[in-house]
């Protein structure tokens, strides 16, 4: 099986700087695997909040992660600043797949790439169609054809 090479910064539409912390490193001196997923989640959540999604409280937009994945290309760790590139890889009826690339400091290719698939749900916890305004917001992260 041929391994897909890491994407460059031009493969993403929005970026957020995510500084690493001392405790992100593991026994081997690089970033712990679970920390990458935490950074993905934080980058997506901050982007959502900056774009008007209410994530907590009575008026919250209910988006639940139903699938995630990650591919490692190079090590990262403290004191790197990671730049989280974001894009939407798929926009469905009730779901969205956020794809995230982490770029170490000034590197031009991703050290890590991953995704979160989220489903919009009703207050009863069942999948619900994405409201038009939410769909338009997510559409801004879709790469031009």
């Amino acid at each position: 099986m041929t391994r897909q090479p890491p994407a460059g910064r031009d493969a993403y539409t929005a970026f957020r700087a995510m500084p690493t912390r001392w405790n992100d490193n593991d026994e081997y001196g690089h970033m712990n695997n679970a920390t990458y997923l935490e950074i993905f989640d934080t980058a997506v959540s901050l982007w959502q909040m900056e774009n008007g999604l209410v994530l907590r409280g009575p008026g919250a937009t209910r988006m639940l992660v139903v699938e995630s994945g990650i591919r490692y290309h190079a090590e990262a760790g403290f004191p790197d600043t990671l730049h989280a590139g974001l894009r939407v890889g798929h926009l469905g009826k009730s779901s969205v797949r956020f794809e995230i690339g982490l770029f170490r400091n000034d590197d031009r290719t991703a050290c890590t790439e991953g995704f979160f698939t989220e489903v919009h749900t009703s207050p009863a916890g069942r999948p619900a169609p994405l409201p038009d305004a939410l769909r338009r917001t997510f559409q801004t992260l879709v790469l031009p054809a």
Side-chain angles (χ1 to χ4, degrees):
M1 179 163 78
T2 305
R3 183 172 167 90
Q4 184 176 345
R9 290 179 184 249
D10 60 344
Y12 295 91
T13 59
F15 287 86
R16 166 165 285 287
M18 307 291 292
T20 57
R21 305 162 303 170
W22 174 260
N23 68 334
D24 292 337
N25 285 10
D26 64 15
E27 182 74 17
Y28 303 111
H30 63 265
M31 204 157 62
N32 188 284
N33 294 337
T35 302
Y36 288 93
L37 291 170
E38 290 175 359
I39 291 171
F40 289 171
D41 190 35
T42 300
V44 169
S45 295
L46 288 170
W47 180 88
Q48 289 174 332
M49 292 166 53
E50 289 168 355
N51 284 276
L53 275 77
V54 177
L55 301 182
R56 300 186 68 158
T61 302
R62 293 180 46 93
M63 298 294 296
L64 302 180
V65 174
V66 297
E67 184 181 21
S68 64
I70 191 165
R71 184 179 327 115
Y72 304 95
H73 301 291
E75 290 186 7
F78 182 81
D80 292 327
T81 296
L82 299 175
H83 300 270
L86 304 173
R87 67 181 179 217
V88 165
H90 176 76
L91 191 54
K93 180 180 174 186
S94 63
S95 66
V96 58
R97 177 183 163 118
F98 290 99
E99 297 175 346
I100 306 101
L102 297 182
F103 298 83
R104 198 177 43 207
N105 304 311
D106 295 327
D107 288 355
R108 301 303 305 159
T109 58
C111 64
T112 307
E113 295 175 288
F115 70 92
F116 277 162
T117 300
E118 293 184 341
V119 172
H120 178 249
T121 62
S122 69
R126 302 296 309 153
L130 291 167
D132 290 341
L134 191 56
R135 178 175 297 284
R136 284 190 300 274
T137 298
F138 292 157
Q139 189 70 37
T140 66
L141 284 182
V142 174
L143 284 173

